[in-house]
DNA sequence: AGTGAATTACTCTGATTAGAGTATTAGTGT
DNA sequence: ACACTAATACTCTAATCAGAGTAATTCACT
């Protein structure tokens, strides 16, 4: 059975726009761009048209009329249905009211970090920090500008959120870097030792057992199949 | 032409594990679960097997042997190739060194916020705040526990990052809520007025023009087709 | 009046992904 | 010895997405 609604937030954007007034897909896309919503909601034509089709199939929107000017492609104007309105309110409510599990790429990268040598990672994090700062500057510059132009914060609040996240990431990376550099980060010694052994041409097994020896309690944790889940 | 590498971070996780030692897909999945990496990298069987296939097609990993015990399904053990190693190092380097554009759901929701009435949004944000705090407590509890068990921070740093982001979001939502409640948030007056007019049964056009009248500079910004892009 | 760039408005194809479904074996209790 | 649950190890299908491609029209400029 088809799910009650699509999962792509672009579909929610479509619903909110059609809630304002009927539009055709292309107008939806230009409106989203005008309002800079495509910076917060991934927009591309392929997805837009398939999302519109999927909304229609589920009865959340309806084709109102199909017009054509000259020999241009047809424009199909869509309206939101009552179910569509309800769904939009529900969905947006959920997104605002309930934190969703997300998988940021940097989180994935951090979780795999030990696959690169420490000094390498330090260099990369320095690079990241630089870029994060540049992005932060750029973003806050944009915000000041739009504020000066008289756009109420209401219509750009999502950018403030983005900046807040960036700021938090900057702080995090700064702290991490400091600890990696100073060597106070818990685990760097083991990490360095591992690459030392690898450089010395030891086999995976030799490295494993040497580390197991030199860092007993850690190794115990790493090799036990099931950590106690509590409860 | 096929891209140099898959885009799913799960594929990177596969590469790093095969970089440690050869494994079969199912073992990859259990290892990721054991190490709690599936909390940072979305893992499901369908994706895992197709990602493995895709890595093989691109020559980043190779099937080493196919064994079978009794009548159980075959286990295909894969090894990483030299190209695979290089790609892994490159890819992980990029993820660590370069901030990626992401589209968090909450950012999307914020950008569509005016589609719900103010008081509604306030209630929802209160709910979110509560849940965020609960998650934060839970997460930092887990971290303290694993620290006590002797796991070096190195192997759980991604969770610290997640917590840092959560903390930032908590602060952001707190501030936003305070401003919405006190009415000092730039744009709330217009926002409230809009729903007032809607409740009074005005048409979309009437609302538009009334708001245009009462909030001149804002409306100008909203209706101009092309904001000056500078340059 | 003719050229080229930009805009309008989609369509198509190939990847990717999610999630349920399948089939065998091992372990646990009665 | 039998049933039941968990674990092992994938397979399949439908949905979704991304990005390039297409084709007509308008506008700016010479």
């Amino acid at each position: 059975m088809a799910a009650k609604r699509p999962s792509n937030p672009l579909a929610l954007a479509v619903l909110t726009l059609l809630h304002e007034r009927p539009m055709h897909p292309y107008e939806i896309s230009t409106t989203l761009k005008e309002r800079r919503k495509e910076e917060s909601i991934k927009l591309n034509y392929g997805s837009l048209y398939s999302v519109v089709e999927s909304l229609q199939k589920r009865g959340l929107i309806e084709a109102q009329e199909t017009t054509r000017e000259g020999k241009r492609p047809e424009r199909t104007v869509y309206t939101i249905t009552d179910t569509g309105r309800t769904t939009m309110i529900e969905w947006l409510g959920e997104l605002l009211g309930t934190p969703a599990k997300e998988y940021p790429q940097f989180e994935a990268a951090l979780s795999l970090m030990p696959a690169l040598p420490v000094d390498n990672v330090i260099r990369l994090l320095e690079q990241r920090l630089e870029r994060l700062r540049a992005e932060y500057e750029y973003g806050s510059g944009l915000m000041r500008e739009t504020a000066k132009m008289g756009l109420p914060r209401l219509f750009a609040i999502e950018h403030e959120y983005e900046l807040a996240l960036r700021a938090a990431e900057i702080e995090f990376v700064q702290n991490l870097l400091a600890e990696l550099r100073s060597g106070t980060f818990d685990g760097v010694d083991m990490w360095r030792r591992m690459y030392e052994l690898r450089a010395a041409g030891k086999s995976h097994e030799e490295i494993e057992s040497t580390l197991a020896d030199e860092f007993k309690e850690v190794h115990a944790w790493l090799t036990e199949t099931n950590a106690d889940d509590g409860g």
Side-chain angles (χ1 to χ4, degrees), chain A:
Chain A
M1 198 184 297
K4 212 173 67 199
R5 58 164 118 115
S7 59
N8 192 337
L10 179 57
L12 180 58
V14 169
L15 288 177
T16 61
L17 288 186
L18 296 186
H19 172 66
E20 279 180 24
R21 64 186 167 79
M23 291 187 196
H24 54 92
Y26 186 74
E27 193 185 357
I28 291 173
S29 82
T30 51
T31 309
L32 287 174
K33 278 176 193 164
E34 258 168 55
R35 301 194 188 166
R36 320 240 164 181
K37 298 312 181 196
E38 101 283 14
E39 284 160 30
S40 309
I41 298 170
K42 210 188 315 193
L43 167 64
N44 68 51
Y45 290 123
S47 307
L48 177 61
Y49 284 90
S50 60
V51 140
V52 163
E53 205 191 312
S54 144
L55 285 170
Q56 191 186 19
K57 257 193 237 151
R58 292 165 218 259
L60 306 180
I61 66 176
E62 272 171 3
Q64 193 185 40
E65 50 167 352
T66 300
T67 63
R68 126 171 297 164
E69 274 162 35
K71 268 189 204 154
R72 281 215 206 144
E74 286 184 340
R75 296 184 315 180
T76 306
V77 176
Y78 291 89
T79 348
I80 192 168
T81 63
D82 285 345
T83 329
R85 267 173 230 278
T86 317
T87 303
M88 183 272 274
I89 290 166
E90 243 183 66
W91 188 358
L92 185 50
E94 277 173 38
L95 287 193
L96 285 171
T98 314
K101 171 109 201 82
E102 320 244 10
Y103 297 84
Q105 307 232 52
F106 185 49
E107 197 184 323
L110 283 172
S111 83
L112 304 174
M113 202 172 62
L116 296 181
V118 196
D119 297 319
N120 214 320
V121 167
I122 290 180
R123 210 163 12 76
L124 289 164
L125 290 179
E126 280 163 354
Q127 202 184 85
R128 181 181 200 87
L129 194 53
E130 232 175 86
R131 293 178 176 170
L132 282 171
R133 282 183 181 137
E135 278 182 20
Y136 186 86
E137 284 317 313
Y138 180 75
S140 48
L142 268 186
M143 269 194 21
R144 271 193 304 274
E145 262 181 58
T146 52
K148 247 192 298 185
M149 290 174 69
L151 181 76
R153 289 176 56 201
L154 173 58
F155 299 108
I157 187 67
E158 65 273 19
H159 300 306
E160 285 185 39
Y161 175 64
E162 224 197 316
L163 273 186
L165 290 188
R166 283 258 177 275
E169 186 173 324
I170 288 173
E171 227 202 289
F172 174 85
V173 173
Q174 255 170 358
N175 293 155
L176 179 54
L177 256 176
E179 292 186 83
L180 286 177
R181 285 209 197 95
S182 67
T184 57
F185 186 75
D186 182 30
V188 239
D189 42 353
M190 186 179 177
W191 191 0
R192 283 196 194 280
R193 186 84 178 106
M194 185 181 131
Y195 280 87
E196 222 176 86
L197 293 169
R198 199 175 285 176
K202 308 283 183 190
S203 75
H204 179 70
E205 286 76 22
E206 281 176 296
I207 294 177
E208 277 265 303
S209 71
T210 308
L211 290 179
D213 239 46
E214 296 176 9
F215 304 90
K216 284 203 176 61
E217 62 319 322
V218 172
H219 194 265
W221 203 96
L222 287 177
T223 52
E224 77 192 20
T225 311
N226 260 331
D228 183 74
D229 273 1

